[in-house]
Amino acid sequence: AFLLNLVMSVTVVIAVLAIFMGWRAAIVVGGSLLLTVSLSLFFMNIFDIKVERISLGALIIAMGMLVDNAIVVAEGMQVQMRRGRRAIEAADSVARRTQIPLLGATAIGILAFAGIGLSPDSSGEFMFSLFAVIAISLTASWVLAVTATPLLASYFFRTESSAQAADPFDSAFFRAYGRLVGGALRIRYLIIILLVGATLAGLAGMGAIRQQFFPPSTTPILYLNYQATPGTSIHTTSQDLAVLEDWLLDRPEVVSATTTAGASMTRFLLTYTPEDPDSSYGQIVVRVGEYGQIPALREALTAFSARALPWAETRVQQIIYGPPVGADVEARLSGPDAATLRSLAAQVQEVFEDQTALLMVERTDWRQPELVTQPIFASDRAQRLGITRNDLAIVTALATDGLQAGNLRETDRLIPIILRTPKDQQLVGSEILDQPIYSSTAGAFTSVAQVVDGFEVLTRNTLIHRRDRVPTISVQAFTAPGVLPPEAFVEVRAAVEAIPLPAGYRMEWGGEYETSLQAQESLARQMPLALGSMFLITLLLFGKIRQTLVIWTVVPMAVTGVSFGLLMTGLPFSFTALLGLLSLSGMLIKNAIVLVEEIDTVNSEDGLPQREAIIVASISRLRPVVLASATTILGMIPLLSDDFFAAMAVSIMAGLGFASILTLIGIPAIYHTYLRKDDRAQASRTDAATPTTTGGGALLDPKNCRSTPALSPSRL
């Protein structure tokens, strides 16, 4: 299905090009796009990058940037050939003027994803293929744009004769846009104020958007995790799981149920975290017919397991897209005394239990305290006999759970060899006291009764977790259907942090909050290098600071479109939406670089006044910007039905729509403001070099300038 989305995206892009640029341009750009996708798949195979959801999604995300390189070259050649230039001359001219700006813009587009792709944490591992595929595809698109695209254009584009040559920008649409840009330049300060206000509104709107780390998977699979009292026999565990399995297989929506007892399944996908082997643990992996059947089945299975197996802890969960988080909300308490930690954990559980509308299941990873029978070691007699506590522990283990004497290797499995007292000898209650134990002093065996003064029953924590060698108990909770973990976390955070902690104890948050925070911190460590490299490339392209500042002024303004899109659709701002924002910044910078480069070229080569140069360059970039944005936005439509990429698609679609306005209106106004001093200096030099005339200054008449072919705003 996802491969079908990629095909649909490519088809939409080619169809849009055919409508607005003609069938010849559609063949040229579409052919370049297909070559780019094919070359990308070829290198993905070489570098062993699998074709899966993330990598295919990366191709769709990069579609706008892929086609933009080819559109710039093809549109430039098409315009020049319509003006009568031969194909080789048009290719040489366009390539010379665009290959370096496009290369720099392509590098910036790749660097926009470098922060997440090179992140050393689990989110970087999960999303690395996104960065790798985008880097491969964008590099291939630039290479083909300056090689294959001019070649295809020379075959399909026709050179117009001098009699048929016409200005392709001489139409009502382009003239109207030119007047719009001219008006924006006159009120440029108002335009800048409006853009700054829109940016502030967008940032404020981001605070009202729901937050999410990664969304649940739409894979029609859910897990049931079973946990009995520690020490429960694996046979008892299997019997309990059989009850649940029989109930599941009687449900019409259940396609299959795979049960494991004593351990979880081997890690069959990146987001799955296996549990440690435990005879009291089991898991059922359930596959249903359709994803939409999961919520009802999850609710029914939770209710049935609570009725059928009230002595066990059962928890039903779905697969999520993204790194495993362990729990939706988790508070970790660390300190030296287990009883104190239990007391603090009980207070945290009370806070969680008060939020019944948000949280369904609460538990601690220490489980419940257990009753244990402990022998009373007779130290004096044991010392005279030369018997240690370790000797007693070994003998007791032989009579109960047994001792592991080794492993039997069966292909890739290690089967433990357990040494234990025969089963029929364990039925008598006094069997442990009658067990023989070797006395090193006497050089003979004696009975356990000689070194034990009876038994005592105690309540003990049989499962204690430690972090940095400090006992740590985790109180974990899972959200109700339709509730996002950050929403529940916000409700319980203040109350949990208000619990007084004794000296020597500390509390920290885990679960999704910790995993999300780690991913964001890792991204924050990587992004300064990526952003610094992007800024440096921009500066090297122009060699001037003010042109660079023009481009980077509009980058944060793109948040306005993202905020509006997510608020309108109700989608949360997830980690994938953050990637969409990064992708959007790369696209915006790319368009801005080519436009500013065009303004500089027109201004320097043709000697036009800055205002006229801005209008000319903006008109020449109008169609490539609009087409690249339109093809990207329409190409994202197939991703709207995918829960993983939906927020990213909306971020790019809405953000790119606003970014196009920034490129076509905002950048001209900002450029004319930041470089106004250069315009005045150029005008002074022009006035000094212009001879005095007596005809009313015909050379400076704007009408005469616009009627001169070399100064026409319709020039490319």
Side-chain angles (χ1 to χ4, degrees), residues 280-305:
S280 62
Y281 173 80
Q283 186 178 71
I284 304 178
V285 180
V286 185
R287 176 175 286 274
V288 298
E290 298 178 0
Y291 167 73
Q293 297 171 329
I294 287 181
L297 177 62
R298 180 178 181 177
E299 184 177 352
L301 180 57
T302 300
F304 174 77
S305 58

Side-chain angles (χ1 to χ4, degrees), residues 67-77 94 98 102 594 621 624:
V67 75
D68 191 32
N69 285 334
I71 286 177
V72 170
V73 175
E75 203 264 352
M77 285 190 63
V94 172
T98 60
L102 288 180
V594 180
R621 283 297 297 159

Side-chain angles (χ1 to χ4, degrees), residues 20 75 167-181 615 618-627 664-665 713-714:
F20 293 99
E75 203 264 352
D167 190 341
F169 299 125
D170 187 15
S171 66
F173 175 72
F174 288 106
R175 287 195 296 270
Y177 171 65
R179 288 192 294 270
L180 179 63
V181 173
I615 296 175
S618 299
I619 289 175
S620 68
R621 283 297 297 159
L622 174 61
R623 185 159 57 181
V625 169
V626 171
L627 286 178
L664 298 172
I665 302 298
S714 61

Side-chain angles (χ1 to χ4, degrees), residues 419-462:
L419 184 63
R420 183 162 39 201
T421 303
K423 190 73 174 178
D424 57 349
Q425 297 181 23
Q426 298 181 17
L427 300 178
V428 182
S430 61
E431 183 63 33
I432 293 179
L433 292 176
D434 295 337
Q435 289 293 313
I437 186 170
Y438 185 75
S439 169
S440 59
T441 302
F445 284 93
T446 184
S447 66
V448 169
Q450 299 300 316
V451 294
V452 171
D453 288 336
F455 295 88
E456 59 181 344
V457 179
L458 304 173
T459 301
R460 295 185 58 182
N461 294 302
T462 57

Side-chain angles (χ1 to χ4, degrees), residues 102-427:
L102 288 180
L103 176 60
T106 299
I108 287 174
I110 295 172
L111 287 171
F113 291 91
I116 180 59
L118 302 179
S119 177
D121 73 331
S122 56
S123 61
E125 178 187 9
F126 182 73
M127 301 296 291
F128 174 76
S129 62
L130 183 96
F131 165 70
V133 172
I134 285 178
I136 291 171
S137 58
L138 288 185
T139 303
S141 75
W142 178 81
V143 172
L144 292 172
V146 297
T147 55
T149 303
L151 179 63
L152 292 173
S154 66
Y155 290 146
F156 288 94
F157 292 164
R158 293 182 303 180
T159 300
E160 302 290 350
S161 63
S162 57
Q164 296 175 328
D167 190 341
F169 299 125
D170 187 15
S171 66
F173 175 72
F174 288 106
R175 287 195 296 270
Y177 171 65
R179 288 192 294 270
L180 179 63
V181 173
L185 297 180
R186 285 191 295 271
I187 58 170
R188 58 187 180 277
Y189 294 112
L190 178 60
I191 294 293
I192 294 174
I193 292 173
L194 291 176
L195 291 177
V196 171
T199 303
L200 295 176
L203 292 173
M206 293 295 288
I209 298 173
R210 304 169 71 193
Q211 303 294 309
Q212 187 180 47
F213 186 38
F214 279 97
S217 170
T218 54
T219 304
I221 291 179
L222 68 158
Y223 310 136
L224 180 135
N225 296 285
Y226 166 96
Q227 182 67 59
T229 304
T232 300
S233 166
I234 193 171
H235 302 290
T236 303
T237 300
S238 298
Q239 292 172 2
D240 287 352
L241 290 171
V243 174
L244 300 175
E245 187 177 24
D246 291 340
W247 181 86
L248 283 167
L249 294 178
D250 287 338
R251 304 275 300 192
E253 68 268 34
V254 175
V255 176
S256 64
T258 304
T259 304
T260 63
S264 54
M265 300 179 67
T266 55
R267 194 176 189 184
F268 60 93
L269 76 161
L270 185 62
T271 60
Y272 179 80
T273 304
E275 298 286 340
D276 294 331
D278 182 356
S279 62
S280 62
Y281 173 80
Q283 186 178 71
I284 304 178
V285 180
V286 185
R287 176 175 286 274
V288 298
E290 298 178 0
Y291 167 73
Q293 297 171 329
I294 287 181
L297 177 62
R298 180 178 181 177
E299 184 177 352
L301 180 57
T302 300
F304 174 77
S305 58
R307 294 194 309 270
L309 307 174
W311 54 84
E313 176 190 296
T314 57
R315 176 170 53 89
V316 184
Q317 66 179 115
Q318 294 177 241
I319 302 175
I320 67 165
Y321 290 131
V325 297
D328 294 334
V329 181
E330 178 181 278
R332 286 198 299 265
L333 299 155
S334 300
D337 182 63
T340 304
L341 291 177
R342 282 280 188 188
S343 174
L344 294 172
Q347 297 180 57
V348 175
Q349 280 189 284
E350 289 180 4
V351 175
F352 288 174
E353 289 170 357
D354 290 340
Q355 300 292 337
T356 55
L358 301 176
L359 301 173
M360 294 192 307
V361 181
E362 304 86 25
R363 66 171 189 174
T364 67
D365 61 348
W366 285 18
R367 313 299 179 200
Q368 296 299 321
E370 297 180 54
L371 294 175
V372 297
T373 303
Q374 176 176 296
I376 302 173
F377 189 65
S379 302
D380 294 339
R381 296 199 306 271
Q383 187 175 5
R384 288 194 294 269
L385 291 170
I387 297 174
T388 64
R389 290 178 181 272
N390 185 58
D391 297 331
L392 176 61
I394 292 174
V395 171
T396 305
L398 285 171
T400 54
D401 296 332
L403 287 173
Q404 183 171 339
N407 290 293
L408 174 64
R409 181 177 293 277
E410 185 179 85
T411 61
D412 60 343
R413 296 176 58 202
L414 289 177
I415 302 174
I417 301 173
I418 304 298
L419 184 63
R420 183 162 39 201
T421 303
K423 190 73 174 178
D424 57 349
Q425 297 181 23
Q426 298 181 17
L427 300 178

